[in-house]
Amino acid sequence: MLFRLFLFFCGLGVMSTGIAMVTNAGLGTGTISSVAFVLKELTGQSMGFYVFLTNVFFFVIQILVEPKGILGKAIRQLPICFVFGILIDAGMWLTGHIVPQAYWQQIVMAFAGSFCTGAGIACLVFARLAILPPEGLVLAILHRFGGSFGTLKMMIDIFLLVTTVIASLLTLGTIVGVREGTFITAICSGPIAKVVLKCCAKLFPAHRVID
């Protein structure tokens, strides 16, 4: 259990740092933080604060879809969302000292951030302790209506990106938060997570990802 806790919070930290690296590369941000990025630009509040609110929004939708076990879901998910928001801000501060000068350096930083994001996701999955509300919403829809996890997760990502584009155009007059880094993360983080999961399975054969 201690190993799983350690792995979970390591994964959360690595994923947060990855998202921050992509953002500080100046080429957009990850899907989960895209709306938060626009709100940060509008208000000056920290991105981690708005990532927390984004997760709370998905938690509320999850409860509306599947209202059973509200207290248990809140205990399992909301404290993790709070920690995730703090780690996002810590990652933004930490990687904010890295200032890429050339475009190729921005691309390299975005790929490095995508690798960290994928590795962090793999650690969270391997730990099997808790999930964030967007994934919780996907599971709630699956339990009630059925469907495909991958398709539903993609629909949530598309919803976030469309919301980001519309909100930034309406409030800032231009598109912010969605650029090359966003698509690099979207394309690369999943395959990277699969590779890291396979490596974890070989290193710890007694630990199964799925019971």
Side-chain angles (χ1 to χ4, degrees):
M1 185 62 182
L2 286 176
F3 168 73
R4 289 168 64 188
L5 276 170
F6 172 77
L7 191 63
F8 180 84
F9 284 105
C10 276
L12 206 61
V14 171
M15 184 172 70
S16 303
T17 303
I19 292 170
M21 286 180 72
V22 174
T23 306
N24 282 326
L27 296 176
T29 186
T31 51
I32 188 62
S33 54
S34 56
V35 174
F37 186 88
V38 175
L39 294 172
K40 175 183 79 72
E41 293 294 303
L42 278 172
T43 66
Q45 278 279 6
S46 74
M47 193 165 80
F49 172 71
Y50 288 117
V51 168
F52 170 71
L53 291 185
T54 301
N55 278 305
V56 170
F57 166 78
F58 280 113
F59 178 79
V60 172
I61 301 299
Q62 178 191 161
I63 295 305
L64 292 175
V65 171
E66 191 178 47
K68 293 184 292 185
I70 295 176
L71 182 60
K73 290 174 182 175
I75 291 171
R76 287 194 303 270
Q77 294 181 35
L78 293 182
I80 300 300
C81 296
F82 180 73
V83 173
F84 186 43
I86 291 174
L87 290 174
I88 288 278
D89 285 339
M92 289 293 291
W93 175 82
L94 186 67
T95 61
H97 296 85
I98 307 170
V99 184
Q101 300 298 321
Y103 181 70
W104 69 266
Q105 293 174 327
Q106 291 178 288
I107 291 291
V108 169
M109 189 170 173
F111 271 107
S114 298
F115 176 83
C116 290
T117 302
I121 290 169
C123 290
L124 295 179
V125 172
F126 198 71
R128 294 183 294 118
L129 279 181
I131 55 173
L132 291 168
E135 287 72 33
L137 173 59
V138 170
L139 293 177
I141 294 171
L142 284 175
H143 291 157
R144 184 160 183 183
F145 304 108
S148 162
F149 184 93
T151 301
L152 290 169
K153 182 66 172 68
M154 183 177 66
M155 288 174 66
I156 286 178
D157 288 343
I158 291 171
F159 166 76
L160 284 167
L161 292 179
V162 170
T163 302
T164 300
V165 170
I166 293 172
S168 59
L169 283 173
L170 289 177
T171 57
L172 300 171
T174 187
I175 296 175
V176 298
V178 180
R179 280 191 60 186
E180 301 95 311
T182 309
F183 298 103
I184 289 171
T185 303
I187 293 168
C188 296
S189 59
I192 289 168
K194 287 182 181 179
V195 172
V196 175
L197 270 173
K198 287 181 180 178
C199 293
C200 289
K202 289 180 180 178
L203 287 171
F204 306 100
H207 179 88
R208 294 180 297 172
V209 178
I210 300 173
D211 289 323

